[in-house]
C-alpha cells in the first residue's frame, strides 16, 4: 500500500496549491496523524520530535476547516496561536501566510516590544488568524482589544513551555476569554512532564486525543568537552569553532550576561556573530536573527529564547557552553540542528558543577555523549575521581547519533501513559533532587543550583 499523500488529507484546492508552492511533497508522520484527527473536530495533545513539521500539522487542518465553513462571529478572531517567543511567533506568521497565500485570510502578530497602539489598530481589522506571545496578548485582553468569543482554534505551540511557570498564568487568562466550543491543539517535542496534566485540563475543555509519534530519531551526533571553568570553555570554544566544519552554529548560554560576554569575545576573535536574549530590543532581535538566517553572520550566541521552535536552515552545530537545565531543554536546544532529516552535531561543555546534571540528561535521553578533546587544551578536571580511578577512561569513544533508545525506525502513533520520570522538567535542580530512582536512574546526591534569568520572551 502506498503512503497517503497530501491529496488524501487536504481537499481544498487553494491550500493544495500553497502546499505545492512550499515544495512539500508528502506529509510527515506527525502531519499524517494530526491532520485527520484535527479535521474530525478533536482536541489534540501531540508530541513529535524537533523539526518534524508540527507547524503545518496544526495550520493545515485548521485552515481547511475554516475555509470550509462560515465564521461563528464575524467580529471575532477565528484561530489563535500562542508561542513562547517573538521569534517563533514571527516564523509561524510567515508559515501561515505562505499557506494562506491563495486565500483571502489574513494573519496578525501580537508580541511584546511593539507599540500597543499599532497592535490595537491591527486587531480592529480583525484578521482570521492571530499569532502571539502570552504577555502582550494578556495585556490586550485586559484592554478588551481582543475578541475571541467566536474562536474556532486555540493552539499552544511548545505547549509544555507555555504551561510552564511564568507563562501559564497569562495563557490561562487568555484561554478563559476564548469560545468554550473551540478546538484546542497542543504541540511540542516534549509533553511528558508530570504536573502538566492539571494545567492541560484547564485549557483543553472536554476530551482530547493524544498523539505520540515514535519516529526514527534525528541524526544528531552528540558530544561533550570536559572543562575546568568558563575561561577554559572559551578557549575550547575558539578551538572548536576554528576546527569544526559548519555553515551556521548556535551557542547556548544560561544567562544574558554570559551571552553578551561571549558575543564580545567572539567578535574580538573575528567571528561573524550575533547575540539573542531577553535584554535586547525587539528591533535588534529581529535584525540579529535576520542576519543569521541570511548567512551574514554564521554564529548566534543565545539564551534559551532561541531554544524552542526556531527553524533555521544551515544550522549544523549547536554548542552548549553552559549545559542545559534539563533533559527537555537540552533536547530543544539541540533540535535547532538536524531538522527535517538533515544531519547535525551538538557539543556540550561540562565542568565539575555540571557533571551530575549531564549524566542525568544522558540517562533521561538514553544516550551517551561522546567525550572529545581539543588538542593542547586538556584541562585538570577529567570527571569525578571514582571514574578516573576505576580505570575506565572517560574518554571512551562511542558513536551517539541516536537520540532515543526507545525510538524505533518505524513511525508509529500511540496513546501514551505519562510514566516518565521528572528529569525532563525545566526546573532541573528540583527535579534532579526529587526524582525517584527508577530504571537505573539515580538522582545525584548533591543539589545543582543554577540561576534562571530568562523567562519566556
Ligand atoms: P517542528 O515544529 O516539528 O519543529 P517545523 O514545523 O518547524 O517543525 O518544520 C520543520 C521544517 O520542515 C520546516 O522548514 C518546514 O517548512 C519543513 N516541512 C514541514 N512539513 C514538510 C513536509 N511535509 N515536507 C517537507 N518539508 C516540510
Ligand atoms: Mg515547532
Amino acid at each position: 500500500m502506498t503512503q497517503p499523500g497530501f491529496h488524501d488529507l487536504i481537499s481544498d484546492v487553494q491550500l493544495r496549491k500553497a502546499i505545492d508552492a512550499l515544495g512539500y511533497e508528502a506529509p510527515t508522520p506527525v502531519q499524517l496523524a494530526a491532520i485527520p484527527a484535527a479535521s474530525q473536530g478533536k482536541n489534540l495533545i501531540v508530541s513529535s520530535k524537533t523539526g518534524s513539521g508540527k507547524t503545518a500539522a496544526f495550520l493545515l487542518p485548521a485552515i481547511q476547516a475554516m475555509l470550509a465553513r462560515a465564521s461563528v462571529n464575524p467580529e471575532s478572531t477565528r484561530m489563535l496561536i500562542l508561542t513562547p517567543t517573538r521569534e517563533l511567533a514571527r516564523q509561524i506568521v510567515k508559515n501561515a501566510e505562505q499557506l494562506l497565500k491563495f486565500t483571502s485570510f489574513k494573519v496578525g502578530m501580537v508580541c511584546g516590544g511593539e507599540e500597543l497602539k499599532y497592535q490595537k489598530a491591527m486587531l480592529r481589522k480583525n484578521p482570521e488568524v492571530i499569532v502571539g506571545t502570552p504577555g502582550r496578548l494578556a495585556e490586550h485582553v485586559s484592554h478588551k482589544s481582543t475578541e475571541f468569543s467566536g474562536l474556532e482554534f486555540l493552539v499552544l505551540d511548545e505547549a509544555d513551555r507555555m504551561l510552564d511557570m511564568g507563562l501559564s498564568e497569562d495563557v490561562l487568562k487568555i484561554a478563559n476569554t476564548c469560545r468554550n466550543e473551540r478546538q484546542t491543539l497542543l504541540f511540542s517535542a516534549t509533553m511528558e512532564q508530570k504536573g502538566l496534566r492539571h494545567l492541560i485540563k484547564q485549557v483543553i475543555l472536554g476530551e482530547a486525543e493524544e498523539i505520540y509519534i515514535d519516529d526514527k530519531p534525528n541524526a544528531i551526533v552528540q558530544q561533550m568537552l570536559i572543562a575546568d571553568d568558563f575561561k577554559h570553555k572559551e578557549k575550547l570554544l575558539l578551538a572548536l569553532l576554528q576546527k569544526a566544519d559548519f555553515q551556521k552554529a548556535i551557542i547556548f548560554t544560561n544567562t544574558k550576561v554570559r551571552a553578551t560576554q561571549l558575543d564580545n569575545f567572539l567578535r574580538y576573535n573575528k567571528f561573524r556573530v550575533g547575540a539573542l536574549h531577553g535584554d535586547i530590543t525587539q528591533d535588534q532581535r529581529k535584525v540579529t536573527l535576520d542576519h543569521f538566517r541570511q548567512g551574514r553572520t554564521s554564529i548566534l550566541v543565545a539564551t534559551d529564547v532561541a531554544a524552542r521552535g526556531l527553524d533555521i536552515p544551515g544550522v549544523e552545530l549547536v554548542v552548549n557552553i553552559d549545559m542545559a537545565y534539563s533533559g527537555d531543554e537540552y533536547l530543544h536546544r539541540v533540535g535547532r540542528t538536524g531538522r527535517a532529516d538533515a544531519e547535525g552535531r551538538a557539543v556540550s561543555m561540562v565542568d565539575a558543577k555540571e557533571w551530575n546534571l549531564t549524566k542525568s540528561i544522558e540517562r533521561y535521553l538514553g544516550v551517551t555523549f561522546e567525550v572529545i578533546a581539543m588538542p593542547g587544551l586538556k584541562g585538570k578536571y577529567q570527571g569525578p575521581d571514582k571514574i578516573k580511578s576505576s580505570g575506565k577512561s572517560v574518554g571512551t569513544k562511542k558513536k551517539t547519533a541516536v537520540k532515543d533508545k526507545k525510538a524505533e525506525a518505524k513511525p508509529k502513533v500511540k496513546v501514551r501513559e505519562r510514566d516518565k520520570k521528572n528529569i525532563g522538567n525545566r526546573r532541573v535542580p528540583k527535579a534532579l533532587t526529587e526524582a525517584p530512582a527508577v530504571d537505573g536512574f539515580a538522582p545525584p546526591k548533591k543539589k545543582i543550583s543554577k540561576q534562571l534569568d530568562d523567562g519566556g520572551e
Side-chain angles (χ1 to χ4, degrees):
M1 211 184 80
T2 51
Q3 278 274 334
F6 276 117
H7 53 272
D8 298 302
L9 305 175
I10 305 294
S11 54
D12 186 273
V13 180
Q14 312 303 342
L15 206 45
R16 274 209 213 164
K17 241 166 83 179
I19 293 169
D20 283 345
L22 276 170
Y24 296 176
E25 282 170 14
T28 64
V30 67
Q31 292 162 1
L32 269 179
I35 295 172
S39 298
Q40 287 164 23
K42 291 175 180 164
N43 296 316
L44 299 180
I45 303 167
V46 183
S47 170
S48 171
K49 70 182 182 182
T50 53
S52 61
K54 293 188 286 295
T55 318
F58 59 73
L59 285 174
L60 284 171
I63 292 171
Q64 167 148 280
M66 292 189 293
L67 287 171
R69 65 190 176 211
S71 61
V72 182
N73 167 8
E75 310 274 286
S76 167
T77 304
R78 300 185 70 176
M79 178 177 198
L80 174 62
I81 303 161
L82 296 177
T83 80
T85 64
R86 302 160 199 185
E87 285 73 21
L88 182 53
R90 191 171 299 114
Q91 183 179 300
I92 294 172
V93 165
K94 195 166 166 219
N95 223 217
E97 283 173 346
Q98 286 165 331
L99 290 172
L100 291 168
K101 195 162 134 191
F102 303 104
T103 75
S104 61
F105 280 24
K106 294 278 175 291
V107 188
M109 187 170 97
V110 179
C111 294
E114 275 172 359
E115 273 197 60
L116 266 174
K117 208 168 62 184
Y118 158 79
Q119 288 178 349
K120 282 185 182 172
M122 184 276 291
L123 286 167
R124 274 197 297 275
K125 286 193 200 147
N126 194 22
E128 282 80 4
V129 182
I130 287 178
V131 187
T133 49
R136 177 52 68 86
L137 256 164
E139 234 179 294
H140 282 289
V141 166
S142 301
H143 292 194
K144 301 201 173 10
S145 38
T146 53
E147 179 58 70
F148 299 144
S149 64
L151 197 87
E152 292 160 65
F153 291 93
L154 172 64
V155 179
L156 304 191
D157 194 21
E158 306 296 342
D160 54 327
R161 176 73 188 102
M162 301 305 291
L163 295 173
D164 197 353
M165 258 190 285
L167 296 182
S168 62
E169 200 182 316
D170 285 336
V171 169
L172 293 174
K173 176 177 170 176
I174 298 160
N176 283 336
T177 69
C178 296
R179 178 169 160 260
N180 283 348
E181 296 76 24
R182 67 176 184 265
Q183 260 176 271
T184 308
L185 311 176
L186 309 190
F187 279 76
S188 183
T190 48
M191 288 295 292
E192 279 93 53
Q193 297 93 309
K194 286 180 181 158
L196 262 188
R197 280 269 136 170
H198 77 281
L199 286 164
I200 287 177
K201 276 207 187 109
Q202 293 176 56
V203 281
I204 294 196
L205 310 173
E207 297 286 298
E209 181 167 313
E210 273 183 70
I211 296 175
Y212 169 71
I213 307 294
D214 201 358
D215 203 356
K216 83 176 183 305
N218 289 336
I220 303 170
V221 174
Q222 301 178 74
Q223 300 172 319
M224 67 189 253
L225 276 163
I226 303 174
D228 291 339
D229 51 30
F230 200 68
K231 276 274 156 266
H232 187 207
K233 286 184 174 187
E234 284 185 340
K235 287 185 192 139
L236 289 168
L237 180 67
L238 275 190
L240 176 69
L241 293 176
Q242 271 147 10
K243 237 178 101 186
D245 188 19
F246 63 89
Q247 238 187 85
K248 289 179 189 154
I250 303 182
I251 299 158
F252 283 102
T253 67
N254 284 356
T255 64
K256 300 173 210 173
V257 172
R258 202 102 119 179
T260 307
Q261 191 184 333
L262 209 56
D263 179 33
N264 292 333
F265 173 75
L266 291 175
R267 207 173 292 273
Y268 178 78
N269 282 281
K270 307 273 184 279
F271 284 96
R272 290 180 297 132
V273 60
L276 196 72
H277 59 72
D279 277 353
I280 294 171
T281 64
Q282 168 69 2
D283 286 348
Q284 189 53 47
R285 274 168 72 159
K286 185 174 181 303
V287 170
T288 299
L289 198 63
D290 285 348
H291 283 183
F292 187 57
R293 274 190 200 278
Q294 293 155 7
R296 290 171 69 171
T297 51
S298 57
I299 297 170
L300 184 72
V301 179
T303 57
D304 279 317
V305 290
R308 295 256 183 176
L310 295 187
D311 184 61
I312 302 166
V315 175
E316 292 169 336
L317 175 66
V318 168
V319 179
N320 292 313
I321 196 154
D322 297 316
M323 193 43 158
Y325 297 112
S326 72
D328 283 347
E329 216 51 31
Y330 171 88
L331 198 140
H332 287 282
R333 285 180 174 190
V334 162
R336 294 319 99 214
T337 182
R339 299 181 70 73
D341 295 332
E343 288 180 0
R345 179 182 181 193
V347 181
S348 301
M349 299 198 187
V350 177
D351 64 21
K353 293 191 297 300
E354 295 164 312
W355 185 269
N356 286 350
L357 169 63
T358 304
K359 290 291 133 185
S360 307
I361 290 175
E362 282 186 328
R363 279 191 291 268
Y364 175 67
L365 298 173
V367 300
T368 309
F369 303 142
E370 176 192 358
V371 179
I372 56 168
M374 289 294 134
L377 285 175
K378 194 166 177 181
K380 289 185 212 76
Y381 182 67
Q382 285 300 305
D385 287 342
K386 69 174 191 299
I387 291 189
K388 276 191 282 182
S389 60
S390 74
K392 263 196 219 152
S393 161
V394 281
T396 313
K397 287 260 154 83
K398 216 169 184 181
K399 205 78 186 151
T400 51
V402 172
K403 185 203 82 197
D404 186 346
K405 68 180 169 192
K406 286 177 226 88
E408 290 164 26
K410 208 162 137 244
K412 62 183 183 202
V413 181
K414 67 183 182 198
V415 176
R416 161 128 107 185
E417 279 303 311
R418 282 151 206 285
D419 55 358
K420 278 250 181 164
K421 44 213 180 267
N422 257 340
I423 177 70
N425 288 4
R426 192 157 186 276
R427 312 294 154 184
V428 156
K430 200 161 170 229
L432 276 176
T433 48
E434 291 180 3
V438 276
D439 246 341
F441 171 79
K445 293 189 180 59
K446 250 175 80 187
K447 185 168 170 167
I448 304 158
S449 59
K450 282 181 170 273
Q451 184 207 340
L452 269 175
D453 76 347
D454 250 317
E457 55 158 9

